[in-house]
Amino acid sequence: SERTRFNLQMDRLDMPSLPSDDKPAVAALAAGAPSYVRPLSQDSMAGYALTRDLYGTPALIWRVDIPRPVYASGQDTLQYLAASLSLLALTSVLLTLILIVRTVLSRLHRLSDGMQAVASSTDASRLLPVEGGDELSDLARSGNAMLRSLEEAQRVQQESEARYRALVQLSPDAILVTSRGQILFSNTGAVRLFQAEPGGLLGTAV
């Protein structure tokens, strides 16, 4: 015990004070097992050996208590592994959230801001920002195509209204547009007919 620095204990098998914890070891060794080991705690274990007398009868039971550094190292390794896996999972989640924010949510926010800017703008040629080559960019391109179609339709309507207004203005007949008893529009023929100033008939009662 002094040489190995382990707690070494010897008991006679014919003693009535044999510890009950050692009886399973005695039974296993008496059945022919060369040695017997059982854990005492997470930090130590007990090893048993049997000594027989001259007649081959079990006489002495030897017990040595030794530490379990390999088990303790294994437990520490498992704890480190669990902590590393938790840290890795947390890092993966954070990286995924950052990636989603940068590649999806921020672009959706900019696309929404672009739609609001187009909706509040009087410039019919204003378009949505297009970023990347995925589904969000396809959505922005589709929106820009719709805005271009609306711009073209508005341009055609304005040209048609301008031609219609020019024809009405150049007509030799007097043309008045009224609503609720007031003149809203008068062409050149009406101004000449009523001998009024240009625009002088607007707002007058019929």
Side-chain angles (χ1 to χ4, degrees):
S1 178
E2 291 177 355
R3 178 166 298 186
T4 60
R5 303 298 181 183
F6 294 151
N7 181 22
L8 184 62
Q9 179 181 349
M10 182 190 66
D11 292 317
R12 291 177 54 177
L13 295 180
D14 57 356
M15 293 180 60
S17 60
L18 184 67
S20 58
D21 294 342
D22 296 343
K23 290 182 179 180
V26 172
L29 293 172
S35 61
Y36 182 85
V37 178
R38 70 180 180 92
L40 300 177
S41 65
Q42 293 185 356
D43 300 325
S44 63
M45 62 182 178
Y48 296 86
L50 191 66
T51 299
R52 300 177 183 270
D53 59 13
L54 296 177
Y55 303 99
T57 303
L60 301 175
I61 182 74
W62 298 83
R63 169 178 168 173
V64 58
D65 295 341
I66 57 178
R68 304 175 67 184
V70 176
Y71 179 81
S73 299
Q75 293 296 317
D76 293 340
T77 303
L78 288 178
Q79 293 179 359
Y80 292 147
L81 180 60
S84 300
L85 291 177
S86 300
L87 182 60
L88 180 61
L90 180 60
T91 304
S92 300
V93 170
L94 291 178
L95 290 177
T96 302
L97 290 177
I98 293 174
L99 184 63
I100 291 176
V101 169
R102 294 189 61 182
T103 60
V104 179
L105 297 182
S106 60
R107 294 177 59 193
L108 279 176
H109 184 69
R110 288 193 293 270
L111 185 60
S112 176
D113 291 342
M115 290 181 177
Q116 293 178 1
V118 170
S120 60
S121 176
T122 57
D123 186 6
S125 62
R126 187 162 187 172
L127 299 177
L128 298 174
V130 179
E131 301 177 12
D134 52 6
E135 289 80 2
L136 290 178
S137 58
D138 292 340
L139 179 61
R141 292 188 185 93
S142 299
N144 288 336
M146 180 186 64
L147 292 175
R148 292 189 185 94
S149 298
L150 292 176
E151 180 186 5
E152 181 64 20
Q154 184 179 5
R155 185 185 63 80
V156 172
Q157 182 181 3
Q158 290 175 352
E159 291 178 354
S160 177
E161 290 178 354
R163 288 194 297 268
Y164 176 75
R165 183 179 295 273
L167 290 175
V168 170
Q169 286 287 356
L170 296 176
S171 175
D173 298 327
I175 299 176
L176 296 175
V177 178
T178 63
S179 175
R180 297 180 181 181
Q182 290 186 347
I183 298 175
L184 300 180
F185 173 80
S186 62
N187 69 341
T188 306
V191 172
R192 286 198 304 266
L193 177 64
F194 293 102
Q195 298 180 356
E197 295 292 332
L201 297 176
L202 300 180
T204 59
V206 179

